[in-house]
């Protein structure tokens, strides 16, 4: 198994939650102090470099108009890390291509990071969480169709080397596509795609990309990985190796369980602070109609209940948080691993909120020294 | 397609539509707004006293399936022009409310060949303010209760209790919201070109507006619409918000009746 260190680069110095009604989309940026922000950027870049020094891989993501994540451009951050690192694989998970106006620009940026890093880019594509809809001003309906057209255009831009090609699709139009640079890796950087539901997972499986689940717990993750494997079996495609599956959780390893739980509670800031009203969590068309109907009836999908009132116990029981001493964390990871048929990538959300630099680094060090060697043996 | 009194299905140019049909006589096409079509709403029966009412649910609304080829108001306008042509309907009165008013206006700027008159009930679809002034409140960024307060004179009346509704009714509500987002997301509830094209409408046009419409006002948005359509008349309806057909159905149908009476074929 490979482990990836991931941080949302949050700006956590916010007024009390009662003073605003949404941390996403509409929180005024007067609450953001660019001088503190600059220090935070440098601190987070340092932590990614430390992750590399410790032997971890690096993951960056992207969100917009939110204090929970100050990376509105994953390409910019990864461009800097491509220069500051030498050996780690660099995962962007991902580019929200259903919300981006210019897939060709995404193809260019990703090719550039790939070349700059001498072929270390792993390129993720995501549909984007619902709160990204207003920030991107993009229509929440028929997103999958737009997502896959953007994907097709990007892959074609990466793999066409004989001058311009034409693209007049349903959503995107370019008559002269001919990107410079082209990617370093052949035929292109490995592709990752996140899936929250089994319906999308089958489409990812069919293409053989890495499928990633974020905080989906035991049942949700099993459903996604199962659908991926089932679609490949159905189409008589090769059995996917473990490195096609990734799971993201909040992870904190301490010397004792108590220290691990204390670190994890600080990581939970990310869930606790995610105050978002329904018009931004459920833009019409983003969720399947049937699940919207269930929500109207007051049903909250199991996994989201935990986000409403996050508590460490239930989050750990459901596999969204792996925390404690090294043996405890190893056991928790293996319980998830065994439940979902195995996975080859652990995406470690290892910094959030008030977890300071020393605590963040200690959590990484403990993981690398005490847990990672046992996980590496799994592959 | 001749008329009947029931719910029926029509296929127009391969697009399947749920259509409510009531009454006999001169064709009256009702194009619903973003709230969808409630088959039990009293205004439908009242309208049917004055002609043959045909009220389709736009693709994605009600029980009408999504149509992959239809994703803009422009598509809907052509779809309903095709509906008139395939049914060989003439001298039709097209009435549209809100989003439906936008569709009706888009039809009329394309062709009035089969239209005898146009009634726009608090139509959306045009841009009147500058680029930093939103003419139409952003329903996708407001709490649902705030949207009801803007759209209804009496928001209490419009509030739903999901526990009293069937899965089918809830599904229709959810689909109506999704379809509204499909057609109206961007540009937001308008076509930047529509206002400059409204002069092409050469059939008698009545604009009806709830006096208590807090969503888009008669004095501002309604007046701009009226000024852009040659000879159009703007009338207001007391004690009604953005959907006067729901809050004051008698008054709305009375105004339509007078309009039809003025314009007997």
């Amino acid at each position: 198994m490979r482990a990836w260190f991931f941080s949302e680069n949050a700006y956590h110095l916010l007024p009390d939650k009662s003073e605003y009604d949404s941390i996403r989309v509409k929180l005024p940026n007067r609450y953001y102090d660019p001088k503190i922000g600059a220090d935070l950027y440098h601190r987070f870049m340092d932590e990614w470099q430390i992750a590399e020094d410790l032997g971890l891989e690096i993951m960056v993501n992207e969100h917009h108009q939110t204090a929970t994540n100050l990376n509105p451009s994953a390409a910019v951050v990864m461009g800097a890390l491509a220069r500051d690192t030498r050996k780690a694989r660099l995962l962007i998970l991902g580019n929200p291509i259903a919300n981006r106006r210019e897939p060709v620009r995404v193809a260019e940026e990703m090719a550039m990071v790939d070349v700059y890093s001498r072929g270390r880019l792993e390129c993720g594509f995501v549909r984007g969480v619902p709160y990204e809809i207003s920030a991107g001003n993009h229509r929440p309906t028929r997103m999958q169709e737009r997502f896959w057209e953007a994907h097709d255009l990007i892959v074609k831009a990466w793999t066409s080397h004989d001058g311009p090609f034409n693209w007049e699709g349903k959503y995107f139009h370019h008559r002269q596509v001919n990107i410079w640079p082209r990617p370093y890796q052949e035929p292109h950087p490995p592709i990752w795609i996140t899936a929250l539901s089994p319906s999308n997972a089958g489409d990812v499986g069919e293409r053989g990309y890495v499928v990633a689940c974020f905080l989906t717990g035991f049942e949700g993750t099993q459903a996604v990985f199962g659908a991926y494997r089932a679609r490949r079996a159905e189409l008589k495609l090769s059995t996917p190796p473990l490195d096609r599956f990734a799971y993201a959780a909040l992870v904190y390893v301490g010397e004792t369980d108590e220290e691990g739980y204390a670190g994890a509670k600080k990581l939970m800031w990310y869930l606790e602070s995610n105050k978002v009203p329904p018009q931004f969590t459920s833009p019409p068309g983003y969720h399947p109609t049937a699940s919207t109907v269930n929500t109207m009836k007051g049903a909250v999908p199991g996994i989201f209940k935990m986000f409403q009132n996050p508590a460490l116990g239930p989050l750990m029981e459901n596999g969204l948080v792996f925390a404690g001493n090294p043996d405890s964390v190893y056991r928790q990871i293996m319980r998830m691993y065994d439940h979902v048929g195995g996975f080859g990538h652990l995406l470690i959300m290892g910094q959030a909120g008030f977890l300071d630099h020393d605590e963040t680094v200690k959590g990484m060090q403990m993981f690398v020294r005490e847990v990672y060697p046992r996980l590496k043996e799994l592959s | 397609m001749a008329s009947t009194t029931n719910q029926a299905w029509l296929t127009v140019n391969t697009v399947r539509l749920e259509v409510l049909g009531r009454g006999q006589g001169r064709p009256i096409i009702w194009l619903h707004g973003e709230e969808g079509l409630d088959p039990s709403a009293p205004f439908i029966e009242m309208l049917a006293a004055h002609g043959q009412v045909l009220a389709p649910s736009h693709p994605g609304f009600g029980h009408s399936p999504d149509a992959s080829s239809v994703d803009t108001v422009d598509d809907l306008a052509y779809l309903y022009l095709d509906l008139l042509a395939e049914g060989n309907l003439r001298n039709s009165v097209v009435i549209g409310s809100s989003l439906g008013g936008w569709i009706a206006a888009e039809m009329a700027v394309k062709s009035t060949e089969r239209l005898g008159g146009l009634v726009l009930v608090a139509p959306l679809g045009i841009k009147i303010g500058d680029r930093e002034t939103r003419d139409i409140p952003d329903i996708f960024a407001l709490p649902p209760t705030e949207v009801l307060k803007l759209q209804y004179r009496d928001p209490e009346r419009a509030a739903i209790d999901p526990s009293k509704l069937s899965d089918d009714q809830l599904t229709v509500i959810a689909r109506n919201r999704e379809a509204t987002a499909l057609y109206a997301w961007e540009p937001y509830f308008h076509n930047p070109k529509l206002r400059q094209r409204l002069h092409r409408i050469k059939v008698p046009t009545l604009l009806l507006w709830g006096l208590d419409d807090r969503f888009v006002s008669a004095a501002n948005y309604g007046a701009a619409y009226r000024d852009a359509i040659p000879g159009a008349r703007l009338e207001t309806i007391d004690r009604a918000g953005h959907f006067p057909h729901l809050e004051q159905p008698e008054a709305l149908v009375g105004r339509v009746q007078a309009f039809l009476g003025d314009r007997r074929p």
Side-chain angles (χ1 to χ4, degrees):
Chain A
M1 189 185 296
R2 260 184 170 169
W4 304 71
F5 179 76
F6 151 52
S7 157
E8 290 247 326
N9 285 20
Y11 188 87
H12 57 297
L13 302 171
L14 300 175
D16 189 79
K17 262 168 89 171
S18 59
E19 286 184 38
Y20 55 87
D21 64 358
S22 180
I23 196 171
R24 309 239 186 194
V25 185
K26 54 184 288 207
L27 183 66
N29 66 17
R30 65 170 175 271
Y31 293 119
Y32 179 80
D33 180 338
K35 294 187 180 65
I36 297 172
D39 290 344
L40 284 170
Y41 274 138
H42 286 284
R43 178 194 146 188
F44 296 137
M45 298 296 272
D46 289 346
E47 287 169 5
W48 270 310
Q49 286 183 265
I50 291 167
E52 177 188 52
D53 291 343
L54 290 169
L56 295 169
E57 316 301 335
I58 289 173
M59 176 187 149
V60 164
N61 73 346
E62 164 172 331
H63 284 287
H64 300 260
Q65 296 192 187
T66 175
T68 62
N69 183 304
L70 270 291
N71 289 340
S73 170
V76 169
V77 180
M78 210 51 121
L81 284 168
R83 168 84 182 168
D84 284 347
T85 61
R86 288 292 178 271
K87 58 179 184 187
R89 298 294 296 173
L90 304 175
L91 169 62
I92 292 180
L93 193 58
N95 294 279
I97 54 172
N99 294 333
R100 294 287 297 270
R101 306 266 159 172
E102 292 181 80
V104 173
R105 169 84 185 203
V106 176
E108 289 173 329
E109 289 170 348
M110 294 301 103
M112 190 178 170
V113 174
D114 196 39
V115 174
Y116 204 4
S117 66
R118 300 185 198 281
R120 289 182 289 130
L121 177 68
E122 307 263 334
C123 183
F125 297 129
V126 298
R127 184 181 169 203
V129 291
Y131 349 105
E132 299 292 312
I133 295 293
S134 287
N137 207 52
H138 248 310
R139 202 175 72 183
T141 55
R142 303 191 182 178
M143 285 182 82
Q144 289 296 356
E145 198 176 51
R146 194 168 64 227
F147 176 94
W148 285 113
E149 187 183 324
H151 157 276
D152 294 347
L153 173 50
I154 291 166
V155 171
K156 178 145 189 174
W158 278 343
T159 54
S160 299
H161 308 306
D162 299 314
F165 67 86
N166 192 65
W167 193 275
E168 291 166 289
K170 183 165 179 182
Y171 294 99
F172 303 107
H173 292 251
H174 287 262
R175 294 196 302 282
Q176 306 287 339
V177 186
N178 181 34
I179 63 166
W180 283 70
R182 65 184 170 100
Y184 194 93
Q185 298 174 83
E186 285 290 339
H188 56 72
I191 292 175
W192 297 47
I193 292 180
T194 49
L196 292 175
S197 69
S199 54
N200 190 30
D203 297 336
V204 183
E206 195 172 325
R207 292 166 172 86
Y209 297 152
V210 182
V211 67
C213 282
F214 277 76
L215 304 179
T216 40
F218 288 99
E219 303 320 316
T221 310
Q222 187 186 37
V224 166
F225 291 179
Y228 184 112
R229 292 179 168 112
R231 177 75 69 87
R232 290 193 67 82
E234 188 190 311
L235 297 173
K236 302 196 183 344
L237 296 166
S238 61
T239 306
L242 288 177
D243 73 2
R244 299 295 89 189
F245 302 95
Y247 183 66
L250 311 187
V251 183
Y252 197 85
V253 185
E255 287 176 45
T256 61
D257 277 341
E258 289 65 37
E259 191 186 15
Y261 300 158
K265 280 183 181 156
K266 290 191 178 177
L267 289 176
M268 279 167 51
W269 174 89
Y270 178 72
L271 303 176
E272 290 158 352
S273 66
N274 199 27
K275 181 180 180 184
V276 192
Q279 63 268 28
F280 298 131
T281 57
S282 302
Y286 183 90
H287 302 290
T289 311
S291 78
T292 303
V293 168
N294 283 331
T295 307
M296 289 162 84
K297 290 198 285 192
V300 180
I303 207 86
F304 291 108
K305 269 188 199 134
M306 274 174 286
F307 296 146
Q308 288 182 336
N309 268 314
L312 185 60
L315 288 167
M316 288 179 61
E317 278 159 36
N318 287 281
L320 284 74
V321 173
F322 302 139
N325 71 37
D327 289 342
S328 304
V329 170
Y330 175 72
R331 270 199 308 277
Q332 291 161 34
I333 293 170
M334 287 312 295
R335 197 172 142 230
M336 175 63 74
Y337 182 93
D338 292 335
H339 189 84
V340 302
F343 52 92
H345 303 280
L346 177 65
L347 310 177
I348 297 174
M349 198 159 171
Q351 195 287 323
F354 293 89
L355 196 75
D356 68 24
H357 175 74
D358 290 344
E359 293 166 327
T360 303
V361 172
K362 179 163 186 191
M364 275 195 261
Q365 287 168 332
M366 288 296 295
F367 173 85
V368 168
R369 201 167 67 219
E370 306 291 342
V371 182
Y372 200 14
R374 292 183 252 183
L375 298 176
K376 279 181 176 167
E377 286 169 19
L378 292 168
S379 49
Chain B
M1 69 186 276
S3 86
T4 92
T5 50
N6 271 318
Q7 209 134 344
W9 290 88
L10 267 185
T11 300
V12 180
N13 236 341
T14 75
V15 176
R16 205 153 168 264
L17 295 169
E18 176 188 38
V19 179
L20 194 66
R22 294 276 194 280
Q24 304 280 338
R26 183 179 186 180
I28 300 175
I29 315 299
W30 172 268
L31 300 177
H32 67 76
E34 52 277 29
E35 85 287 11
L37 183 70
D38 174 2
S40 64
F43 82 92
I44 299 268
E45 290 299 338
M46 295 177 193
L47 268 184
H50 307 288
Q52 180 200 356
V53 175
L54 285 174
S57 285
H58 318 318
F61 280 90
H63 299 93
S64 289
D66 295 323
S68 64
S69 59
V70 177
D71 58 8
T72 62
V73 165
D74 200 46
D75 293 329
L76 295 173
Y78 281 112
L79 177 71
Y80 294 131
L81 287 171
D82 287 350
L83 181 150
L84 298 180
E86 287 188 19
N88 195 23
L89 301 179
R90 297 192 175 275
N91 200 27
S92 312
V93 176
V94 174
I95 313 178
S97 153
S98 196
L99 171 71
W102 175 15
I103 302 166
E106 294 276 9
M107 290 173 70
V109 299
K110 296 179 198 315
S111 169
T112 50
E113 187 191 337
R114 294 178 178 277
L115 265 55
L118 186 65
V119 181
L120 304 175
V121 185
L124 304 177
I126 60 171
K127 175 72 187 157
I128 61 171
D130 63 28
R131 66 187 180 186
E132 283 161 50
T133 305
R134 205 185 283 132
D135 298 322
I136 301 161
D138 188 352
I139 60 171
F140 301 117
L142 286 168
T145 50
E146 292 300 313
V147 176
L148 292 184
K149 280 186 203 164
L150 291 169
Q151 292 186 328
Y152 290 85
R153 179 175 192 270
D154 178 9
E156 294 295 317
R157 176 183 183 289
I160 58 156
D161 178 357
S163 68
K164 297 206 167 71
L165 298 178
S166 67
D167 275 15
D168 179 63
Q169 289 168 310
L170 291 172
T171 301
V172 165
I173 291 169
R175 297 189 80 236
N176 292 349
R177 289 179 187 162
E178 291 165 17
T180 298
L182 177 69
Y183 298 120
W185 189 270
E186 188 198 43
Y188 182 65
F189 273 114
H190 76 280
N191 169 0
K193 303 283 190 187
L194 179 58
R195 195 181 184 190
Q196 73 197 40
R197 295 174 182 165
L198 289 174
H199 72 90
R200 295 172 47 85
I201 300 178
K202 299 289 197 273
V203 291
T205 300
L206 173 66
L207 287 146
L208 290 175
W209 226 281
L211 203 54
D212 301 317
D213 189 340
R214 291 177 287 260
F215 192 59
V216 279
S217 73
N220 186 30
Y221 204 83
Y225 237 112
R226 177 202 56 210
D227 293 347
I229 302 176
R233 208 163 70 224
L234 171 62
E235 296 180 7
T236 55
I237 294 177
D238 285 345
R239 304 178 63 78
H242 187 60
F243 300 119
H245 54 288
L246 300 180
E247 293 195 296
Q248 298 297 338
E250 293 91 349
L252 176 112
V253 174
R255 301 299 179 86
V256 173
Q257 182 187 0
F259 176 73
L260 292 174
D262 290 349
R263 322 271 165 208
R264 287 219 174 270

